[in-house]
Amino acid sequence: MSGLFFLSFMGMQSRAEDICSCADPGNLPFSNQKLEGFENKIAQLVADTLHLPLSYYWFAHQRGLVRNTLKMDKCNVIIGVPSNWGQVLTTKPYYRTSYVMVYKKDKALSIQSLDDPLLKTLRIGVLINSPPHQLLAERGIIENVVGYSPFFDPVFHPEESPGRVVEDVLNGKIDVALVWGPVAGYYIKKKNSPLVMIPLTSDNPRIPVVFDISMGVKKGNQELKSKLDQVIDMKHGEILQILEEYGVPLLQSTVSHGKELHTVQEDRYSPWINNNN
């Protein structure tokens, strides 16, 4: 059973003046019920800055997210959503990141893009139906691809965590992982792992791999959106510090093709979309 149905309620339904985060109960590095994720830290920063109480409504960030949270007034903000996501009213972006390619440094692969012919001979791990998976298929890279489920159930299948594909690079089960940047960065930093992380680029406008990330509120809630925009302006440096502590790879407005990815602070506002309608 998908984590989609793993619901928990923390207190009564949020009052209008509270900050109530629609958060995933078990999806590090983003959030969990122990409040260990970077989105937990950012939510607390937002509440503290606005001098408002913070509460949570727990709902797995998969299908039906907005329908079962914001639209039902169970909570009033999703801390991390793509900035152009039409399901919600979004704030200004507060960071920019991408899908990345990850492989062990001692492999000496020097792969710089999805067009490298070597990828047709390596074991590649990727989330099923994610943008990188689609880009591989466009290039005829199919037979050597190892698919990982995009759905994570922390109760019944904790072994299928978002970082499993990175772990499998480390233990040699696969050679290369194509994974969401914040997940890769977190596991690389957590394990202090000797991994190379390369940002992906896409020449297909229908399959983007780079995203601006904002906070999302219920459509029409312009007042809360404006307050959140003010927090993003006021606390930009502290938000970046939180992201960097978790190893989130931050991009400038453009990504240099084939350049190894590092965190850059110059950018002030730097398979998710299809699964959360």
Side-chain angles (χ1 to χ4, degrees):
M1 181 71 68
S2 167
L4 170 64
F5 299 105
F6 181 53
L7 290 171
S8 177
F9 201 87
M10 201 175 193
M12 299 300 290
Q13 184 165 313
S14 66
R15 295 175 297 171
E17 66 269 22
D18 294 348
I19 295 296
C20 185
S21 176
C22 318
D24 196 305
N27 189 22
L28 290 178
F30 305 99
S31 64
N32 69 3
Q33 289 183 299
K34 295 181 180 180
L35 309 184
E36 296 171 322
F38 68 79
E39 290 183 354
N40 295 122
K41 309 302 181 187
I42 293 172
Q44 189 64 61
L45 176 62
V46 167
D48 290 346
T49 302
L50 294 175
H51 304 289
L52 294 174
L54 172 64
S55 59
Y56 282 92
Y57 184 78
W58 302 107
F59 192 94
H61 283 199
Q62 296 175 11
R63 290 191 180 96
L65 172 61
V66 175
R67 182 175 66 253
N68 290 286
T69 58
L70 293 178
K71 288 186 177 180
M72 294 180 65
D73 295 321
K74 298 295 186 181
C75 44
N76 54 20
V77 60
I78 304 175
I79 293 298
V81 300
S83 298
N84 62 351
W85 196 37
Q87 296 291 314
V88 298
L89 177 64
T90 55
T91 66
K92 61 180 61 179
Y94 66 96
Y95 73 103
R96 183 178 177 84
T97 193
S98 71
Y99 283 90
V100 299
M101 179 188 307
V102 174
Y103 52 84
K104 293 177 71 172
K105 289 183 179 179
D106 60 14
K107 289 280 188 178
L109 295 175
S110 298
I111 301 173
Q112 298 299 306
S113 80
L114 295 180
D115 295 317
D116 193 311
L118 190 59
L119 287 177
K120 295 183 178 181
T121 68
L122 299 173
R123 293 165 298 172
I124 305 171
V126 64
L127 264 63
I128 297 170
N129 292 329
S130 66
H133 193 193
Q134 296 175 50
L135 291 173
L136 288 175
E138 279 193 342
R139 290 160 171 78
I141 303 175
I142 299 173
E143 298 298 328
N144 56 317
V145 171
V146 180
Y148 290 75
S149 173
F151 301 111
F152 170 50
D153 182 345
V155 176
F156 297 104
H157 295 286
E159 75 282 357
E160 295 181 356
S161 70
R164 178 186 169 195
V165 63
V166 181
E167 298 276 6
D168 283 354
V169 172
L170 292 171
N171 60 33
K173 290 184 179 179
I174 57 176
D175 301 303
V176 176
L178 306 181
V179 63
W180 184 228
V183 174
Y186 173 70
Y187 279 87
I188 289 171
K189 188 164 186 176
K190 178 182 177 182
K191 300 291 185 179
N192 193 25
S193 305
L195 296 173
V196 174
M197 184 163 60
I198 303 290
L200 296 181
T201 58
S202 172
D203 54 7
N204 186 336
R206 296 181 297 101
I207 309 177
V209 292
V210 178
F211 294 89
D212 289 315
I213 303 299
S214 298
M215 301 176 195
V217 301
K218 187 177 180 179
K219 287 185 175 181
N221 195 348
Q222 187 65 46
E223 180 180 356
L224 180 55
K225 174 197 178 306
S226 297
K227 290 179 179 179
L228 295 175
D229 280 337
Q230 292 174 10
V231 174
I232 291 170
D233 282 336
M234 292 171 56
K235 297 296 182 177
H236 162 252
E238 292 178 49
I239 292 173
L240 272 188
Q241 184 177 355
I242 292 170
L243 295 170
E244 290 167 359
E245 287 173 356
Y246 282 77
V248 176
L250 305 177
L251 298 178
Q252 293 179 326
S253 58
T254 58
V255 178
S256 298
H257 185 73
K259 183 178 180 181
E260 184 170 345
L261 185 62
H262 298 281
T263 298
V264 290
Q265 298 190 36
E266 291 80 1
D267 180 20
R268 294 294 179 181
Y269 303 108
S270 45
W272 197 96
I273 295 178
N274 292 331
N275 289 330
N276 286 277
N277 294 334

